[in-house]
Amino acid sequence: MTTTEQPPPAGEAMPVASPVSPLEWFRDFGRPPRIMGLDIARGLAILGMAGAHIGETTDFDWLEPGTWSDVVNGRSSILFAVLAGVSVALMTGRSRLPDRERMPQHRLRLVGRGMTIFLIGLFLEMLNTPIAVILTLYGVLYLAMIPFLRWRPRQLIAAAVMLAIICPPLLALLNALTLDPRGAGVDFLFYGFYPITAWLAFALAGMALGRMPLERAGTAAATLVVGILLAVAGYGLGAIGAAFGVAGGPGTSASSNRASGWETYADALDAADPADAVLRAVFAVEPHSGGIAELIGSGGLALAVIASCLLLARRLRWLLLPFAALGSMPLSAYTLHVFGIFVMAGPGGLFSDNGIWGVMSVMLLAGATLWSAFIGRGPLERLAGWSAERMASAPTR
């Protein structure tokens, strides 16, 4: 079973044709032109996000192996965001920049997929679980990546670095100077759980990686080294901050922003402490803190995981097939696991149970493997693909 269709972006993996037989699926799934290591990484991201939602973890400590399961918090969604950029690059030419004449179709396909994923995310948010659903961000992120489709890897890396290094302290300073503003637009762009300024940096880094020859072992090995170095640098920066008592995300001034009138602004600004807010934005490394240390460290960890999966897929294909199957239908799997949590906990309910996390992981792996082997492409991946093609084929004037 092979296909020449290029992988679409983040919400789903490369389309999986319905296999002639399960035996052929076991023999052929994940072979070129499909890049199996990316599917495995997506599968790990799905399982990690499930763990972040219902797993019982304690604060991560490198010296305490019992805390290592906390690595799923924040970092799994970052891994997924980097893979979003990789997939966008793959569907628009792989290591070649997309042809100018095909750009309108590429843009429309991204819009079609983004709209579908946004609506699915909206449905999951309406279930009213405490989960910070990421799909609505992803739907908009597709549109945000459109202007960068013809950028070269060096340009994409430069843009990602600028967003990761300049935005955190700048936004922390603005937050302090404006006394912790809040609103739908401000939260989405700057200060929410998934601020697009930070997550676009991950996506652009992934696009740069996707423009490289990922089928080569040398590319994966180099990416692994770079990822490890970035992770060490980022988490080392966070450790330095913690050693000097600088921790946490950008500061807020929830109490001072209620002050009224310019006569109280000076006092409120003094309470907000802009200098301290900027300093914490540099050293913050906690999940979803949005600090430079977190963006560099967790981004590097994501690159290291992707590179490891690319290398392991070459030697352990049979063993890793279930993870690749799960990663070939991440949109369906993500939606299913959120809906499953809703069914078990009810509206507004949430629980933490590693046993249920383990059972859910096994069920997702088994279900995705059987679905992929007997049916092929995931149901919501089919829907997103159909939406993309319908959008691309719409008449234009």
Side-chain angles (χ1 to χ4, degrees), residues 177-199:
L177 293 176
T178 54
L179 306 182
D180 191 26
R182 281 297 175 263
V186 169
D187 286 346
F188 175 75
L189 289 174
F190 304 138
Y191 305 122
F193 205 71
Y194 297 120
I196 198 169
T197 47
W199 293 82

Side-chain angles (χ1 to χ4, degrees), residues 16 328-329 332 371 376-383:
V16 182
S328 72
M329 52 187 78
S332 298
W371 184 285
R377 199 175 185 185
L380 294 184
E381 283 69 27
R382 293 174 187 265
L383 175 61

Side-chain angles (χ1 to χ4, degrees), residues 3 117 148 186 230 263 286:
T3 176
I117 294 172
F148 304 95
V186 169
L230 288 174
E263 67 276 6
E286 294 80 7

Side-chain angles (χ1 to χ4, degrees), residues 10 37-53 71-84 134 138 302 305-306 309 323 326-327 330 333-334 337 357 361 364-365:
L38 297 179
D39 286 329
I40 296 170
R42 289 189 195 96
L44 292 176
I46 292 293
L47 297 179
M49 284 188 284
H53 296 152
V71 74
V72 300
N73 287 314
R75 301 166 186 90
S76 300
S77 51
I78 288 174
L79 172 60
F80 210 42
V82 175
L83 288 164
I134 197 173
Y138 272 28
V305 170
I306 293 171
C309 291
F323 295 90
L326 179 62
Y334 182 93
H337 105 271
W357 176 21
S361 298
L364 287 172
L365 290 168

Side-chain angles (χ1 to χ4, degrees), residues 1-5 14-17 24 28-34:
M1 177 195 69
T2 59
T3 176
T4 57
E5 185 176 353
M14 182 176 179
V16 182
E24 290 188 1
D28 297 332
F29 181 79
R31 299 194 185 280
R34 193 174 190 89

